[in-house]
Amino acid sequence: PLWQGINYALGPGITNQEYERVLNKVLRQVDGLRVDYLVVPIGYDTHEADPIGDFKLTTPYYERLARKIMELGLPTVFIQEGGYNTELLADNIKSLIRGIEV
């Protein structure tokens, strides 16, 4: 069967540590589903310096986030869907890519 997604509502001001607690729950849940592949929408408007987002993730955290996702060992595609601090966007994307390449 087609699995359509896991979604958790996260409040404003969420930090790397708070985000990771939820991420770990999600990854355990995904692992238990025994899916064939994973599609991950990645919004860099979660960055602490994004002008419209209200999360507090840091640039280095995107690398850690990607590494944790890749540890599932699933074919994975990341779809960029947000990020409005154009001065930091490339750094955030490079951070995520470092985590994918491990």
Side-chain angles (χ1 to χ4, degrees):
L2 178 61
W3 179 253
Q4 295 187 0
I6 296 171
N7 193 9
Y8 284 83
L10 304 174
I14 193 164
T15 64
N16 296 342
Q17 295 78 18
E18 295 164 328
Y19 191 93
E20 187 149 331
R21 281 194 288 273
V22 176
L23 177 66
N24 288 335
K25 288 180 192 177
V26 170
L27 294 177
R28 283 192 302 273
Q29 197 172 3
V30 168
D31 194 39
L33 293 172
R34 303 180 198 271
V35 297
D36 296 325
Y37 59 89
L38 192 59
V39 177
V40 180
I42 181 74
Y44 298 100
D45 50 349
T46 55
H47 189 269
E48 63 186 347
D50 191 86
I52 68 166
D54 56 9
F55 283 14
K56 301 296 177 197
L57 303 186
T58 63
T59 298
Y61 185 70
Y62 294 107
E63 179 177 351
R64 179 168 175 80
L65 181 144
R67 283 184 186 193
K68 293 187 72 64
I69 291 169
M70 298 311 291
E71 286 174 2
L72 290 172
L74 294 170
T76 302
V77 62
F78 290 85
I79 310 281
Q80 182 178 339
E81 61 172 37
Y84 306 95
N85 182 330
T86 56
E87 292 180 18
L88 292 174
L89 187 56
D91 291 338
N92 293 336
I93 293 168
K94 287 188 247 180
S95 178
L96 184 90
I97 291 170
R98 280 192 298 274
I100 293 169
E101 292 179 331
V102 171

